[in-house]
Amino acid sequence: MEKQGLELEITELRLGLPGGGDNKINEKKRVFSDISADEANATNDDRKIHTKSQVVGWPPVCSYRKKNSFNEKDRLETSKMYVKVSMDGAPFLRKIDLGMHKGYSDLAMALEKLFGCFGISEALKDADSSEFSPIYEDRDGDWMLAGDVPWEMFIESCKRLRIMK
Amino acid sequence: MIMESKRKKESPSSAGSTQFPDEVLERVLAFLTSHKDRSSVSLVCKDWYNAERWSRTHVFIGNCYSVSPEILARRFPNIRSVTLKGKPRFSDFNLVPQNWGADIHAWLVPFADKYPFLEELRLKRMTVSDESLEYLAANFQNFKVLSLLSCDGFSTDGLAAIATHSKNLTELDIQENGVEDRSGSWLSCFPESFTSLEVLNFASMSAEVNFDALERLVCRCKSLKVLKVNKSISLEQLQKLLTRAPQLVELGTGSFSQELTTRQYAELESAFNNCKNIHTLSGLWEATALYLPVLYPACANLTFLNLSYTALQGGDLAKLLVHCPRLQRLWVLDTVEDKGLEAVGSYCPLLEELRVFPADPFDEEIIHGVTEEGFVAVSFGCRRLHYVLYFCRQMTNAAVATIVQNCPDFTHFRLCIMNPGQPDYLTNEPMDEAFGAVVKTCTKLQRLSVSGLLTDLTFEYIGKYAKNLETLSVAFAGSSGRGMECVLGGCPKLRKLEIRDCPFGNEALLSGLEKYESMRSLWMSACNVTMNGCRQLARKMPRLNVEVMKEDGSDDSQADKVYVYRTVAGPRRDAPPSVLTL
């Protein structure tokens, strides 16, 4: 069984120096102490730049407890998350504070109000069902379809929003 | 009684028939409530299997994908109460994609057909839409109990449907969910003729409810035993509610920081004084030392005190605990610090469970909270302690050894040293010996969460000594895959294994091939497992579902998040695109 495993590994294409074993996969793994502050793994509650940055889901405190943090600082910090929003066909861009919203549907309602249109919440639930495609630019500069990742992860990595038609 | 009937069966009679009439057997089995007992009974013989399945009214499904509603209904025709758990536990920490699944609707539709008399539904980590709640309210006339814990996908509109249509409702328990709180008007939907409520918990919802409607509801529901209100309810309003319902057994207060006149304070104190039956107290948001004394008269019989949403200082906790000599369960924030925990050790000799939550889990620069000293102090004073959840920033091997020496009966030991990979802060050694002491001393240990700097030695200890271990949570630990192999090979009762950010690879994953069929589930994320390893597992074990969730920007060969579970229902048909079933 061991041997079989190894044989398959040799055929896998990987980035990394040749001759390595299992450990080579570590190079891309997000190890706590290796992450720089700029990686897209910071949790939403801490906006400071640390030498060691936060990892998603650690410490293991329930999202409910995080959201209801009695710590004023946590609550204040999550409220300053303004991002630009553009909608195809609209002459002006708008700004929206992601920290003020509790989830995707909340955000969809706010966007619908901002631009005076309907169909964004449908688009978030099922990408094919609406004429809109809400996309966002993440920290890496990639344009992603909104709605796939958990809300906390989304608001942390979203840099700007665009509602495509 | 069961032994008697078994003996009768073995008496010399024709092979196929039993001398024990089915109806009698079913009546006897009706007394059995534990799932484990019922499981055992069903394995005795075909007659017993049938008697058991006809007499079972409550079913517990720990993983909603391990069985399908059709299979369930075929085996158990008389179910009145269902408990279902959905998403993997790490979804609590945002590690699971949003549309992962565990939608209750797929169960409700067959239930409406097969169990139209369903009375109770208890869900944990399931997705529940408003449509589902409306469907529930419309299709189950006998519906009595709805309990939603850590669920998501619904709004207060769904709750309004339940309140409006469920005429026989006795329990509505909404805890820690991702509820979209559109308005508090759902509470006003209970009709004036509705009087059957015994349990109402809306503590985790934020929208203000109509107080008059709440007061009238509390007034007319004479059997109300549990009332947990939300933050929008003030102290003054709480006083009115307590006056209406002095029979309460569990109370969750609202916001505990209104400015009160002397008379209002006296009235509140008097209201608490009349509540002699309260054994569980929670809520207490923004409670300050100023008003906590109103609680004292009600604390004599208190067995469970949940202060985990109250930023209390140690001294104030001490003053409160003096009045709670019968306390068995205590949840606090680490703002109480070691001083507060010393008070716990001094005043609560009957304590069995302690949970200390971090007030500032993500702020690395502030160093406060609890240390190993607080935990040790509790262990000296509370010898019956068997359940602990402890978030701290420093710990030593010696402290843990002392703790388990004082309290050898631990069944649940969940220690979270918040900085990943942190060693014993005094000796700079790994924390291996700490957890070694835990598993060697606490033979009844069922659940263990490890943390700190850990080598393979920790897992060798676990595999060697933790013979009753059922749930193990591991993060940022281990030196090699050997650690996981030790656990899989050594813990016969292991049911749930959740691992993140550990150097465990395919070899470790595949070492547990047969083991996984005796477990509920395995979670591995950010480890060294590859897609090929997962495919091998899937190929060799067809009765397991092997699901992989990929992350953006990762290698194609990497299996970022792996969720493996046994099932009789086959591969999922409702998985979103981000979840690959191999």
Side-chain angles (χ1 to χ4, degrees):
Chain A
M1 209 200 311
E2 275 178 24
K3 268 198 181 160
Q4 263 185 340
L6 279 173
E7 278 169 8
L8 284 169
E9 275 6 289
I10 288 170
T11 63
E12 279 182 57
L13 291 175
R14 287 203 300 261
L15 295 174
L17 296 171
D22 244 10
N23 290 329
K24 280 303 160 198
I25 300 171
N26 252 331
E27 283 175 351
K28 275 213 139 192
K29 194 181 80 157
R30 293 170 292 119
V31 176
F32 184 84
S33 51
D34 292 342
I35 300 170
S36 75
D38 288 331
E39 296 266 325
N41 289 319
T43 61
N44 107 69
D45 281 335
D46 195 323
R47 312 284 287 157
K48 297 184 211 151
I49 308 288
H50 291 294
T51 47
K52 283 185 197 175
S53 139
Q54 311 290 324
V55 184
V56 173
W58 191 266
V61 175
C62 281
S63 347
Y64 175 73
R65 283 194 180 273
K66 266 165 57 179
K67 253 182 253 164
N68 286 274
S69 169
F70 71 96
N71 186 334
E72 279 298 328
K73 184 164 55 72
D74 285 344
R75 283 205 293 252
L76 284 174
E77 285 179 336
T78 58
S79 77
K80 297 190 200 109
M81 300 172 95
Y82 278 97
V83 296
K84 288 186 197 170
V85 190
S86 61
M87 165 126 125
D88 288 3
F92 297 107
L93 274 62
R94 304 297 300 268
K95 269 213 161 170
I96 195 163
D97 181 358
L98 293 178
M100 289 305 286
H101 299 283
K102 294 181 205 140
Y104 284 110
S105 358
D106 208 19
L107 175 68
M109 285 199 302
L111 290 173
E112 283 169 0
K113 255 194 231 157
L114 255 190
F115 290 105
C117 64
F118 291 106
I120 300 181
S121 24
E122 279 73 24
L124 280 171
K125 287 187 191 141
D126 173 6
D128 296 323
S129 71
S130 141
E131 56 170 321
F132 295 110
S133 291
I135 58 178
Y136 68 98
E137 185 181 3
D138 72 0
R139 281 171 178 261
D140 298 327
D142 296 321
W143 284 92
M144 318 283 297
L145 186 66
D148 287 336
V149 299
W151 175 251
E152 272 86 354
M153 220 189 270
F154 165 71
I155 62 179
E156 180 56 24
S157 50
C158 171
K159 291 292 145 244
R160 61 187 295 171
L161 265 169
R162 179 177 161 200
I163 303 170
M164 272 174 40
K165 282 205 191 162
Chain B
M1 232 181 185
I2 292 172
M3 288 310 289
E4 267 182 45
S5 42
K6 202 174 177 185
R7 250 184 291 129
K8 275 198 175 169
K9 189 153 185 13
E10 283 161 22
S11 66
S13 61
S14 55
S17 74
T18 172
Q19 287 186 331
F20 214 61
D22 287 338
E23 303 82 45
V24 182
L25 185 57
E26 279 176 38
R27 284 297 292 265
V28 168
L29 293 181
F31 288 106
L32 279 181
T33 46
S34 139
H35 303 286
K36 289 191 179 141
D37 286 343
R38 282 192 161 265
S39 250
S40 309
V41 159
S42 67
L43 294 173
V44 169
C45 65
K46 214 162 183 185
D47 283 338
W48 281 46
Y49 177 87
N50 277 322
E52 195 279 313
R53 63 179 268 264
W54 281 96
S55 66
R56 196 187 294 215
T57 56
H58 172 225
V59 70
F60 169 82
I61 298 167
N63 173 7
C64 64
Y65 287 116
S66 64
V67 69
S68 73
E70 291 77 23
I71 295 173
L72 183 74
R74 239 180 287 144
R75 179 169 171 187
F76 300 116
N78 290 325
I79 296 296
R80 302 274 161 144
S81 163
V82 175
T83 303
L84 266 170
K85 292 189 180 179
K87 299 181 197 176
R89 196 179 74 96
F90 278 4
S91 71
D92 287 351
F93 319 127
N94 295 328
L95 289 179
V96 171
Q98 187 170 49
N99 306 321
W100 186 83
D103 195 320
I104 189 59
H105 210 80
W107 291 80
L108 289 179
V109 176
F111 280 175
D113 181 28
K114 303 286 187 205
Y115 303 138
F117 300 114
L118 189 71
E119 293 175 5
E120 303 182 358
L121 198 59
R122 294 187 170 84
L123 306 179
K124 185 169 184 180
R125 293 194 196 99
M126 302 279 300
T127 294
V128 182
S129 66
D130 284 342
E131 193 197 331
S132 293
L133 290 175
E134 284 154 15
Y135 186 88
L136 183 63
N139 287 283
F140 298 89
Q141 298 314 311
N142 262 22
F143 198 70
K144 296 202 170 102
V145 169
L146 181 63
S147 169
L148 301 175
L149 175 56
S150 301
C151 296
D152 69 298
F154 62 102
S155 79
T156 40
D157 291 352
L159 295 179
I162 298 284
T164 310
H165 300 291
S166 301
K167 300 187 173 37
N168 295 310
L169 202 69
T170 60
E171 184 172 327
L172 183 60
D173 189 353
I174 312 292
Q175 277 189 65
E176 300 188 1
N177 301 284
V179 190
E180 205 176 310
D181 226 323
R182 291 193 186 149
S183 97
S185 59
W186 62 273
L187 190 92
S188 311
C189 291
F190 285 108
E192 289 301 316
S193 55
F194 172 77
T195 59
S196 50
L197 207 58
E198 295 168 24
V199 173
L200 178 62
N201 177 0
F202 63 98
S204 57
M205 300 178 49
S206 47
E208 197 176 325
V209 297
N210 180 315
F211 180 71
D212 278 336
L214 175 61
E215 196 180 359
R216 284 199 310 275
L217 181 66
V218 168
C219 214
R220 63 181 186 269
C221 295
K222 306 287 183 203
S223 304
L224 194 68
K225 288 278 182 300
V226 175
L227 178 64
K228 297 181 185 177
V229 301
N230 68 5
K231 267 186 250 190
S232 74
I233 301 296
S234 69
L235 279 176
E236 203 183 331
Q237 291 172 328
L238 180 69
Q239 185 264 333
K240 293 200 183 108
L241 294 174
L242 287 179
T243 318
R244 301 273 178 225
Q247 78 281 6
L248 286 179
V249 154
E250 291 186 27
L251 172 68
T253 75
S255 178
F256 221 75
S257 74
Q258 187 185 357
E259 271 187 36
L260 297 175
T261 65
T262 323
R263 207 197 74 184
Q264 283 173 321
Y265 185 99
E267 279 176 353
L268 186 58
E269 199 173 24
S270 166
F272 272 105
N273 196 32
N274 284 332
C275 294
K276 289 302 182 194
N277 298 314
I278 292 182
H279 63 60
T280 294
L281 195 56
S282 58
L284 300 167
W285 285 284
E286 290 142 12
T288 59
L290 197 58
Y291 294 127
L292 284 177
V294 305
L295 295 174
Y296 296 170
C299 288
N301 294 321
L302 212 58
T303 56
F304 178 21
L305 180 57
N306 181 354
L307 291 165
S308 63
Y309 293 105
T310 319
L312 214 54
Q313 302 298 305
D316 298 326
L317 176 66
K319 285 188 211 140
L320 177 54
L321 289 181
V322 168
H323 300 267
C324 309
R326 297 221 175 87
L327 212 56
Q328 291 171 17
R329 299 172 65 197
L330 176 65
W331 294 16
V332 290
L333 280 177
D334 65 358
T335 50
V336 302
E337 298 190 347
D338 291 335
K339 183 174 166 202
L341 295 181
E342 278 158 31
V344 174
S346 301
Y347 301 128
C348 306
L350 302 180
L351 200 71
E352 296 178 23
E353 174 179 327
L354 174 69
R355 300 194 197 198
V356 182
F357 294 95
D360 266 321
F362 306 105
D363 202 325
E364 285 183 25
E365 287 173 6
I366 295 180
I367 306 295
H368 61 73
V370 294
T371 72
E372 77 281 9
E373 287 180 18
F375 199 168
V376 170
V378 174
S379 76
F380 273 110
C382 310
R383 300 294 174 130
R384 296 192 195 185
L385 198 63
H386 68 83
Y387 190 123
V388 146
L389 169 62
Y390 201 80
F391 283 85
C392 59
R393 288 184 172 85
Q394 66 187 48
M395 187 51 63
T396 67
N397 289 306
V400 176
T402 305
I403 289 161
V404 295
Q405 203 177 6
N406 291 337
C407 306
D409 296 327
F410 271 112
T411 55
H412 297 68
F413 194 91
R414 303 166 63 187
L415 177 63
C416 181
I417 302 166
M418 288 191 272
N419 193 9
Q422 183 170 298
D424 176 321
Y425 82 98
L426 286 179
T427 65
N428 237 19
E429 280 170 4
M431 296 297 295
D432 296 332
E433 293 308 317
F435 295 105
V438 173
V439 295
K440 280 178 208 164
T441 317
C442 307
T443 52
K444 298 182 203 159
L445 195 70
Q446 292 167 26
R447 182 171 179 183
L448 179 65
S449 300
V450 299
S451 58
L453 179 66
L454 300 174
T455 70
D456 285 347
L457 186 56
T458 296
F459 303 104
E460 278 171 37
Y461 284 142
I462 294 174
K464 188 168 174 195
Y465 294 103
K467 294 306 174 186
N468 283 316
L469 192 66
E470 296 178 16
T471 304
L472 178 64
S473 306
V474 186
F476 304 102
S479 335
S480 77
R482 205 174 150 263
M484 186 172 166
E485 288 170 31
C486 286
V487 170
L488 289 170
C491 299
K493 294 197 185 169
L494 194 67
R495 290 188 302 116
K496 286 177 281 181
L497 180 57
E498 28 180 55
I499 301 171
R500 63 165 291 177
D501 294 87
C502 296
F504 303 152
N506 292 337
E507 214 175 298
L509 175 72
L510 295 169
S511 72
L513 275 189
E514 280 93 34
K515 181 82 176 176
Y516 301 135
E517 271 190 3
S518 68
M519 289 169 54
R520 184 188 295 174
S521 64
L522 164 74
W523 169 281
M524 282 179 84
S525 59
C527 296
N528 289 346
V529 175
T530 69
M531 294 296 290
N532 276 332
C534 294
R535 284 192 200 106
Q536 261 197 295
L537 177 61
R539 227 180 296 134
K540 292 197 173 161
M541 307 294 299
R543 280 191 300 231
L544 297 178
N545 277 357
V546 179
E547 297 177 5
V548 175
M549 287 155 266
K550 299 275 298 157
E551 263 168 45
D552 301 329
S554 79
D555 235 314
D556 278 345
S557 63
Q558 248 174 304
D560 306 306
K561 295 175 185 166
V562 182
Y563 185 50
V564 178
Y565 56 91
R566 67 177 174 192
T567 178
V568 294
R572 284 172 64 183
R573 268 164 287 181
D574 63 349
S578 54
V579 176
L580 310 165
T581 307
L582 301 180

